[in-house]
Amino acid sequence: MRPFPSISTLERLLVGIGLIGAVAWLWRCLCFFPSRGWNEIRLAPAFMWAHGLSPYPPVNGIATTWIYGPLPLFLQLPASLMPNAVGAMLAAGFLNLTVILLGIATVCAWLPVPGLDLTRPARLTAFLVCLAIWPATSLEFMQADNAAVAFGLLALLTLERSDSNCSRWLAAAGCAAAIACKQSLIGLAAAECIWVLVRQGQRASLAQMMRIGSIGVLFFALTAVFFGAEGVYYHLIALPALLPWAGSIGNRLTEFSPWLLVHLGLPLTVLTYLGRRTWRRDSPWLLPTLAWLTAWPLDLVALLKNGGSANSLHGLLFFLPFAAVLATVGGNHLVWRRTGLAIVSVGILAVRIATIDVGAWHPRTKHLREGEFLARNLPGEVYFPWHPLVTFYAGTQFYHVEDGWFMRYLAGQPVSGPVAYAGLPPKMHVVAFLRNEMDWGIARSLIPHGAHQTVFGEWILYSWTPPTTRP
């Protein structure tokens, strides 16, 4: 094996500075995590699971926002052991970052490079590049995509490291796990099968397809048996299929054009530079390139559906860790190229850190403590449409979340009548929103005209005299 080119003192210094900056940036993302109402409503199904309820309620049950597989919820189960909402949200944020970082770090640490033994600083440079470019939304929000990408990266790495049957089964399991996190990642199965087809022929490719399919069916069957077939089918298949397309495809593409430009432009630039080298049968670039290409069809479908966002784009995230490692080897002026990558990474992190508000360096949890105080002093009377963990920790009750209501409305199956009121606090006469919090207007429609408005800390409370009976 050829010796690896020497690591410059400048590169060591830049990587050290960059990793310190990355830690600061990750800490900032963790501080923001508890303030995102989206995170609470996505975590609620994990807490339901931990306390004996199905995270996939039947159609007439609690309206949740979870329409993905159970594995991301399983990874968040330790957060349910925390004694209060503050601890739970911080633990969930830490677990969210851990899942992402482990996926990236595993590829950067163990991706084989033919003919070279990469040194630790070179691999750290690749890791730094990934941290600098990785989307902030992935780091700040708990979403099924994070676990899906992590499992996908492990599957691709396993396939790249070995051609043995054992590695093929492990790669198939990783791929099936990614799809079990988010259904739209089925394109990853196509990438694996095409790569095996190129390397070993049609029979081996069909065998890989069967491996992925059999493990995927087993995942789905076990989920249906464990949580109830009706609720699982409704949340994983029926409800996502019923969600409509965005009102204007052109407006949606324009809205997300900065993200599309990065997700398309960065890999295209690299692949244009590489030219035909990418498509050689033994090229280490082939598998990540296939993963990037095959992700696009279903990623765009998810993006163009109502509720789709930049987190629906996965191809770059599969491509980036492999490209970062491979960019540190081969070619002329290698030391200067690695140093340049380190400089760019430090620059990106510096810009990100420089734009952080001064008050963003401590966890934003004040509203959770205030919310728990309200819920404990108004048991069964106050409703938090975007903060289900607040009422859970005050009395272990789960209520409808507004985004779950909105999803049912978009799908043409609105929650109404007795089902709606069965998932609300029994003596509800207060609805609580954070100041400047986004909402869909559904919970506000429950507030009677002339309700009294009060500010309590970071909350705005709408209260009225409760009726003697429910409508």
Side-chain angles (χ1 to χ4, degrees), residues 90-255:
L90 289 175
F94 175 79
L95 291 169
N96 185 60
L97 290 176
T98 300
V99 168
I100 296 168
L101 296 179
L102 281 178
I104 299 170
T106 303
V107 174
C108 291
W110 284 298
L111 179 66
V113 179
L116 282 175
D117 183 15
L118 270 68
T119 60
R120 186 175 300 171
R123 291 190 181 274
L124 285 175
T125 301
F127 184 59
L128 179 61
V129 170
C130 295
L131 294 184
I133 298 176
W134 210 261
T137 51
S138 294
L139 304 172
E140 290 181 21
F141 290 94
M142 185 266 174
Q143 46 200 21
D145 311 81
N146 295 338
V149 169
F151 280 116
L153 287 173
L154 295 179
L156 295 173
L157 175 65
T158 303
L159 202 58
E160 190 71 73
R161 283 185 62 89
S162 173
D163 280 340
S164 69
N165 279 335
C166 180
S167 69
R168 296 282 171 81
W169 274 105
L170 289 175
C175 180
I179 299 169
C181 291
K182 191 167 185 179
Q183 302 89 307
S184 62
L185 265 78
I186 197 169
L188 187 66
E192 285 199 11
C193 293
I194 294 170
W195 187 83
V196 174
L197 174 66
V198 172
R199 295 290 292 261
Q200 287 198 342
Q202 185 176 0
R203 180 175 294 182
S205 179
L206 289 173
Q208 188 67 9
M209 187 184 302
M210 294 298 296
R211 293 184 188 105
I212 297 170
S214 60
I215 297 174
V217 169
L218 180 61
F219 269 142
F220 184 82
L222 290 175
T223 301
V225 169
F226 196 74
F227 295 119
E230 178 192 351
V232 169
Y233 174 80
Y234 182 69
H235 287 85
L236 295 188
I237 298 176
L239 190 54
L242 290 170
L243 293 176
W245 296 97
S248 170
I249 302 300
N251 288 344
R252 178 59 63 89
L253 292 175
T254 300
E255 177 186 356

Side-chain angles (χ1 to χ4, degrees), residues 255-287:
E255 177 186 356
F256 291 101
S257 57
W259 287 270
L260 290 168
L261 183 62
V262 173
H263 281 258
L264 272 171
L266 187 57
L268 277 177
T269 300
V270 174
L271 296 177
T272 301
Y273 171 77
L274 291 170
R276 294 182 179 179
R277 285 177 289 173
T278 302
W279 307 107
R280 290 202 305 258
R281 182 171 175 271
D282 59 346
S283 171
W285 291 93
L286 180 59
L287 183 57

